[in-house]
Amino acid sequence: METIKSMSTEEKGSLLRAMCPVPIDKYPMVTLAHGGGGRMMNDLIESMMVATFANDLLNQKHDATIFPSPGEKLAMSTDTFTVNPLFFPGGNIGSLAVHGTVNDVAMAGARPLYLTLGLVIEEGLAMEQLWQIVYSVKEAASSSGVKIITGDTKVVEKGKGDGIFINTTGIGVIVTPHIINPASVRKGDVIIINGDLGRHGMAIMAKRENLEFESQIESDSASLIAMTMGLLEDGMEIHMLRDLTRGGLASALNETTGIADVSLEIDEKKIPVQENVRGALEILGMDASYVANEGKMMVILPEKNAARALEIMRSYPEGKDSVIIGRAMERGSHGVYMVSSIGSRRILDMIAGEQLPRIC
Amino acid sequence: METIKSMSTEEKGSLLRAMCPVPIDKYPMVTLAHGGGGRMMNDLIESMMVATFANDLLNQKHDATIFPSPGEKLAMSTDTFTVNPLFFPGGNIGSLAVHGTVNDVAMAGARPLYLTLGLVIEEGLAMEQLWQIVYSVKEAASSSGVKIITGDTKVVEKGKGDGIFINTTGIGVIVTPHIINPASVRKGDVIIINGDLGRHGMAIMAKRENLEFESQIESDSASLIAMTMGLLEDGMEIHMLRDLTRGGLASALNETTGIADVSLEIDEKKIPVQENVRGALEILGMDASYVANEGKMMVILPEKNAARALEIMRSYPEGKDSVIIGRAMERGSHGVYMVSSIGSRRILDMIAGEQLPRIC
């Protein structure tokens, strides 16, 4: 896998095609028969899924997979990914579907261990694209330290889906004695994020709307597992973790103050935003605080632990730009405030409807 | 809930509409904004999902749900439901999505405890239909003894989905010391099924194709949990359990002989098929052994336990027509044989492609 990562896109593409376990000449596209419960479905699942994800649990081939409980307290999360387009700079729906769910499990203070994989494929999806997506699932799962332990494949008629939708459900084991929850947040806590905001949402929008920038915007889609486990295993008191996906930082902060008995204040000029992302945001009239990320999280913890947390986070590639962006204060009349770059203080509300549909 | 069940369809419909937690006048249909991560999504999830499924685990409102491990050995299963039409005689996609997954968990010898719920809604789905489906999920979960502990809602543009797709992932705790697995099946074992075959597939086809029969075909969609727990908790040695869903009895038998070192022989005339189902099968040129069921299972176990198993199974409504249909024999040149109603013996192979797409 290391060899593949260091290859050019063309080399990687042609190697991947050669590795595809389904004869692409014979089955260039997914057909309804691949989801009908018969031999063609069995062949697809055996050759592409079971062979690719092979592990002792998946190989049970039963209606349900049996595994020893990994600990006393477990965490479980589910997410269905409907991102459009399926392939974008920095990833595809396969890697996104793994990162999204393993990150969610980790945000509860758990080490993710197992994933289920549910595919809804639209008839006519190129078999080669399906294989690229499946291979990305494998790579992302492997680098996040999780096993795919069971799955399901459905095929719907052309025009009744959109290429592929992927559900992943993850289970993990709690590795911290602290209660990681909005209700744990206290006045005086500081808010850290692990880097620049807005990249995933803007990468998708740029691709979808054919926007051209001097440098291509790449999604930040990434596994946060290594860094989060580094933080949790240090043992320091942490009050809240949340990844900044749909609804962005603004939603994560507002969901926190919907439960916590504090207000949160952030400083706009402390929030890193890449130059090309800033350009895209200005063109589209958007605010980085509302845009989805897929490799960013916030950490809320007692101020005394902030320096140590920053040191740990910055020691991981996904946390090298970690920064304190705000703090928790006595509860005010609103939940979340932002001090703008010109020094004014305004309410940072949750958006009402959708800003960017089909981002994840 | 008991009161609702005893009502006429009209009474039930009007009561359900009155109970709908979302103002249907204001939001007659699901819009993209209901999936955008903002306040409208939050409102929909809070009022319709969290309020309906309320339990101590779901109410954590975190990225992942934390729960104490329910035992030493767990079982997990995932399934995405894409059935068309969404509503059919005997159920709808909501009840089906619960029955399908809890039954799969039980087939591994486990008591299902928790479910996750992932919805992919097509823009424009009537809010009232969504509510009926959500309410059916609640009823089916409650009668199966499982809690919905976390979920996810996505909305895709009109024409990019088909009303609603539902993923459920279930987790349960193993309640038997026996290894329930195709590899456990031995020569001499008998094969029991819990009633007539073909109803779910034919109910869907009749509705989809507007076929009229003297009496309407009702899906057999049902939870098999009570009966299966009755069998497992008796403690008798059981070798194999499988529900007879996509691909029907023929697929379940062939999947078993793909692993077990035996051949299986069934007797066609012992397989119960309802009269109206037989009529539909004849019109469509289909064989009951290949048609999907959603409330039927096969049990393979040592002959000495068969009488006791039948007695237990017949004591539950979902098993009152349980019957022995065949047995395991020394491995022959093929996996599965069927003795037809006129006495000839033929190979019962797995079907190649799809017979009935979008049945589950």
Side-chain angles (χ1 to χ4, degrees):
Chain A
M1 243 154 51
E2 287 317 303
T3 351
I4 287 188
K5 278 189 180 158
S6 64
M7 285 179 180
S8 73
T9 311
E10 291 71 28
E11 285 173 327
K12 187 171 166 174
S14 111
L15 180 63
L16 263 179
R17 264 191 302 283
M19 288 167 60
C20 182
V22 170
I24 294 181
D25 294 345
K26 192 174 167 198
Y27 297 117
M29 295 185 302
V30 178
T31 66
L32 283 177
H34 284 111
R39 194 170 297 286
M40 276 177 68
M41 188 179 91
N42 236 44
D43 285 351
L44 182 73
I45 290 174
E46 286 298 318
S47 58
M48 199 183 278
M49 313 297 172
V50 178
T52 304
F53 302 129
N55 63 63
D56 51 337
L57 295 176
L58 183 65
N59 294 355
Q60 293 173 15
K61 296 182 196 169
H62 207 330
D63 278 351
T65 294
I66 300 173
F67 57 99
S69 175
E72 283 181 15
K73 270 172 87 181
L74 308 179
M76 195 168 180
S77 184
T78 193
D79 211 336
T80 310
F81 295 81
T82 63
V83 65
N84 165 28
L86 300 178
F87 294 83
F88 48 82
N92 64 49
I93 191 171
S95 49
L96 188 68
V98 173
H99 295 152
T101 293
V102 297
N103 290 347
D104 276 350
V105 170
M107 296 305 112
R111 175 184 292 282
L113 296 169
Y114 304 129
L115 277 186
T116 65
L117 184 70
L119 309 180
V120 177
I121 305 171
E122 185 190 15
E123 178 189 19
L125 178 71
M127 193 61 83
E128 187 179 332
Q129 288 202 323
L130 176 62
W131 168 237
Q132 281 181 51
I133 290 164
V134 166
Y135 196 84
S136 294
V137 168
K138 174 199 169 83
E139 283 192 320
S142 158
S143 70
S144 304
V146 296
K147 288 179 180 175
I148 309 290
I149 64 165
T150 186
D152 175 59
T153 304
K154 292 283 160 38
V155 181
V156 297
E157 303 90 332
K158 201 161 179 61
K160 301 295 184 183
D162 198 13
I164 188 170
F165 301 142
I166 302 184
N167 177 280
T168 49
T169 301
I171 194 160
V173 59
I174 298 289
V175 293
T176 171
H178 305 298
I179 309 288
I180 313 271
N181 192 283
S184 303
V185 176
R186 295 284 173 270
K187 190 175 119 179
D189 283 358
V190 301
I191 308 166
I192 301 176
I193 62 173
N194 65 314
D196 67 294
L197 296 190
R199 262 198 284 147
H200 179 71
M202 287 302 106
I204 299 290
M205 284 304 280
K207 174 103 195 240
R208 214 189 278 169
E209 308 294 333
N210 277 316
L211 300 179
E212 296 270 350
F213 299 98
E214 272 181 40
S215 60
Q216 191 180 46
I217 300 174
E218 288 230 343
S219 168
D220 62 336
S221 177
S223 167
L224 296 169
I225 303 314
M227 181 176 72
T228 308
M229 294 309 121
L231 271 177
L232 293 172
E233 283 165 4
D234 173 83
M236 76 175 79
E237 189 177 341
I238 293 172
H239 291 160
M240 177 68 188
L241 301 170
R242 177 133 319 170
D243 55 349
L244 309 176
T245 55
R246 213 168 14 161
L249 174 66
S251 283
L253 293 170
N254 275 284
E255 283 163 19
T256 305
T257 60
I259 295 169
D261 189 29
V262 296
S263 286
L264 298 173
E265 183 179 274
I266 59 167
D267 186 347
E268 186 171 24
K269 66 177 183 299
K270 299 233 172 103
I271 299 174
V273 179
Q274 282 189 359
E275 213 41 60
N276 53 2
V277 173
R278 198 177 293 283
L281 288 166
E282 278 174 13
I283 288 168
L284 297 166
M286 288 176 172
D287 180 332
S289 311
Y290 290 102
V291 177
N293 314 275
E294 289 291 343
K296 294 302 176 313
M297 62 188 286
M298 68 177 190
V299 181
I300 306 183
L301 77 186
E303 187 168 17
K304 68 175 180 348
N305 297 335
R308 173 91 188 117
L310 281 172
E311 186 190 335
I312 293 172
M313 292 172 72
R314 287 174 181 159
S315 71
Y316 293 88
E318 63 269 32
K320 67 181 169 40
D321 298 322
S322 295
V323 59
I324 295 173
I325 60 160
R327 61 179 56 245
M329 306 172 313
E330 189 137 349
R331 180 79 191 186
S333 52
H334 285 84
V336 185
Y337 298 91
M338 181 155 85
V339 177
S340 78
S341 43
I342 55 165
S344 65
R345 189 168 184 266
R346 63 178 175 88
I347 297 156
L348 188 71
D349 211 347
M350 206 175 241
I351 41 173
E354 46 85 43
Q355 190 182 34
L356 300 171
R358 310 277 306 276
I359 215 78
C360 58
Chain B
M1 241 153 52
E2 287 316 303
T3 351
I4 287 188
K5 279 190 180 159
S6 64
M7 286 178 179
S8 74
T9 311
E10 290 71 28
E11 285 172 328
K12 187 170 168 176
S14 112
L15 179 63
L16 264 180
R17 264 192 302 283
M19 287 167 61
C20 182
V22 170
I24 294 181
D25 294 344
K26 191 174 168 196
Y27 297 117
M29 295 185 302
V30 178
T31 66
L32 284 177
H34 284 111
R39 193 170 296 286
M40 275 177 68
M41 187 179 91
N42 236 43
D43 285 351
L44 182 73
I45 291 174
E46 286 297 318
S47 58
M48 199 183 277
M49 312 299 171
V50 178
T52 303
F53 301 129
N55 63 63
D56 51 337
L57 295 175
L58 182 65
N59 295 355
Q60 293 173 15
K61 296 181 196 169
H62 207 330
D63 278 351
T65 295
I66 301 173
F67 56 98
S69 174
E72 284 181 16
K73 270 173 88 180
L74 308 180
M76 195 168 178
S77 184
T78 193
D79 211 335
T80 310
F81 295 82
T82 63
V83 65
N84 166 28
L86 300 178
F87 294 82
F88 46 83
N92 64 50
I93 191 171
S95 49
L96 187 68
V98 173
H99 295 152
T101 293
V102 298
N103 290 348
D104 275 350
V105 170
M107 296 305 112
R111 175 184 291 281
L113 296 169
Y114 304 129
L115 276 186
T116 65
L117 184 70
L119 309 180
V120 177
I121 305 172
E122 185 190 14
E123 178 188 21
L125 178 70
M127 194 60 83
E128 187 180 331
Q129 288 202 323
L130 177 61
W131 167 238
Q132 281 181 51
I133 291 164
V134 167
Y135 196 84
S136 294
V137 168
K138 174 200 169 82
E139 282 192 320
S142 159
S143 70
S144 303
V146 297
K147 289 179 180 177
I148 309 290
I149 63 164
T150 186
D152 175 59
T153 304
K154 291 283 161 39
V155 181
V156 297
E157 302 91 331
K158 200 160 179 62
K160 301 294 184 184
D162 198 12
I164 188 170
F165 300 143
I166 302 184
N167 177 281
T168 48
T169 301
I171 193 160
V173 59
I174 298 289
V175 293
T176 172
H178 306 296
I179 310 288
I180 313 273
N181 192 284
S184 302
V185 176
R186 295 284 172 271
K187 191 175 117 180
D189 284 357
V190 302
I191 308 166
I192 301 176
I193 62 174
N194 64 314
D196 67 294
L197 296 190
R199 261 198 284 147
H200 179 71
M202 287 302 106
I204 299 290
M205 285 303 281
K207 173 104 195 237
R208 215 189 277 167
E209 308 294 332
N210 277 316
L211 300 179
E212 297 269 350
F213 298 98
E214 271 181 41
S215 61
Q216 191 181 46
I217 300 174
E218 287 230 344
S219 168
D220 63 334
S221 177
S223 167
L224 296 169
I225 303 314
M227 180 177 71
T228 309
M229 294 309 120
L231 270 179
L232 293 172
E233 284 165 4
D234 174 83
M236 76 177 77
E237 189 178 340
I238 294 172
H239 290 160
M240 177 67 187
L241 301 171
R242 178 135 316 172
D243 54 349
L244 309 177
T245 55
R246 213 168 12 162
L249 173 67
S251 283
L253 293 169
N254 276 284
E255 283 162 20
T256 304
T257 59
I259 296 170
D261 189 29
V262 296
S263 286
L264 298 173
E265 184 179 275
I266 59 167
D267 187 347
E268 187 172 24
K269 65 177 183 299
K270 301 233 173 104
I271 299 173
V273 178
Q274 282 188 359
E275 213 41 62
N276 52 2
V277 173
R278 199 178 292 282
L281 288 166
E282 279 173 14
I283 288 169
L284 296 166
M286 288 176 173
D287 180 333
S289 312
Y290 290 103
V291 177
N293 314 275
E294 290 291 343
K296 294 301 176 314
M297 62 188 285
M298 68 178 191
V299 181
I300 307 182
L301 77 185
E303 187 169 18
K304 67 175 177 0
N305 297 334
R308 173 92 187 115
L310 281 172
E311 185 189 337
I312 293 172
M313 292 171 72
R314 287 174 181 160
S315 72
Y316 293 88
E318 63 269 32
K320 66 182 169 41
D321 298 323
S322 295
V323 59
I324 295 173
I325 60 160
R327 61 180 56 246
M329 305 171 313
E330 190 139 349
R331 180 79 191 185
S333 52
H334 285 84
V336 185
Y337 298 91
M338 181 155 85
V339 177
S340 78
S341 43
I342 55 167
S344 65
R345 189 169 184 264
R346 63 177 176 90
I347 298 156
L348 188 71
D349 211 348
M350 205 175 242
I351 41 173
E354 46 85 42
Q355 190 182 36
L356 300 171
R358 310 278 305 278
I359 215 79
C360 59

